[in-house]
Amino acid sequence: MTGRTNEDSRTLPAPTGDNLQAQETTYRFGAVEVDLDVPEGVWNPTPHGLHLRDVLATDLRFDDQHVLELGTGCGLHAVVLANRGAKALTLTEIDDETVELARHNVERHDVDIPVDYEVADWTSVDGGPYDALVTNPPFAKSGKQYRRYFIDTLILDTHKLVRPGGTLTFVQSSMADVPRSIGLMKECGMDVRAVAVTDGPFREYYFDDEEFLREAAEVPGGYAVRSGTYYEQLTVLQGTLPS
Ligand SMILES: C[S@@+](CC[C@H](N)C(=O)[O-])C[C@H]1O[C@@H](n2cnc3c(N)ncnc32)[C@H](O)[C@@H]1O
């Protein structure tokens, strides 16, 4: 992996258990400055989204690619992707309000490529096939009995959204069982690589969900405790579909 020169600054009100508190974020990479409004009710970038952002900004390029981002949230990755060679973006979110927030944040920056905004329920997206799919899928707060629902459907449905030879790039916690995702991606015929791995301390809200902690304890290598602090690993995986 290449060295990091990116900088963050954030105004941080007390985090709420649902990670939906209002926040402003400024992020610089190279000559690009990204200022984001995240009003109450929209998912704040967590270490997962920030790790994906750093990897997109530093390790990967999307030259001349039409990139689909599922669950774009505040639009952070969209601004980065536009600066990493993408020729067009399609951004989805679950409701109009969040889509409009992404539009507001993207339009505040010098994004001079076509951007489509779609309300879509996860992989139920119109259009495509796209050259690349990028996402930070819901996991800890997926709201599903089967917590990996969004990860597994993402992997299984990639071939419907992405052209042969195109890529799927996403970030995942060790608590969601990275080897399991790699195995499923390979079963779907993808060539898989772990682009970058980092460590992050648990989010406070993890401790509010006993079932989540019980499930994570069953995952081999799901987390580590060092000097009394709990850490998960965050991995950006990239799968390339067969041509
Ligand atoms: C983990 S957050 C990531 C947000 C943003 N990309 C980031 O990294 O900060 C997952 C996003 O998926 C959206 N989402 C949740 N369920 C969805 C669904 N069924 N269809 C589409 N998006 C969904 C949420 O609103 C949320 O913004």
Side-chain angles (χ1 to χ4, degrees), residues 158-210:
T158 292
H159 72 285
K160 297 182 192 167
L161 298 167
V162 176
R163 64 164 170 79
T167 58
L168 163 65
T169 305
F170 67 103
V171 62
Q172 182 186 323
S173 168
S174 50
M175 299 166 84
D177 200 340
V178 173
R180 187 164 163 181
S181 296
I182 292 174
L184 188 57
M185 291 164 84
K186 287 183 174 169
E187 283 185 68
C188 292
M190 294 185 210
D191 191 21
V192 186
R193 69 178 177 128
V195 183
V197 183
T198 191
D199 254 358
F202 274 21
R203 313 291 298 159
E204 278 303 315
Y205 55 78
Y206 292 178
F207 297 103
D208 299 337
D209 186 342
E210 287 177 14

Side-chain angles (χ1 to χ4, degrees), residues 25-120:
T25 304
T26 300
Y27 169 60
R28 281 181 202 85
F29 64 104
V32 181
E33 183 165 303
V34 184
D35 286 311
L36 298 170
D37 290 328
V38 189
E40 190 171 350
V42 174
W43 186 261
N44 266 295
T46 60
H48 310 65
L50 301 180
H51 182 47
L52 177 61
R53 171 205 67 186
D54 289 342
V55 171
L56 296 175
T58 310
D59 299 299
L60 300 174
R61 289 209 55 96
F62 294 85
D63 293 308
D64 295 321
Q65 298 187 24
H66 187 163
V67 184
L68 168 67
E69 184 185 15
L70 300 180
T72 191
C74 65
L76 167 63
H77 302 128
V79 178
V80 175
L81 287 162
N83 282 278
R84 296 297 283 170
K87 71 172 181 192
L89 298 173
T90 296
L91 310 177
T92 77
E93 256 300 340
I94 190 146
D95 56 31
D96 282 315
E97 206 181 341
T98 316
V99 161
E100 288 313 313
L101 186 263
R103 187 196 302 273
H104 162 77
N105 277 328
V106 170
E107 288 183 354
R108 292 171 69 193
H109 299 85
D110 292 328
V111 173
D112 58 1
I113 56 172
V115 184
D116 286 332
Y117 300 85
E118 265 194 48
V119 175

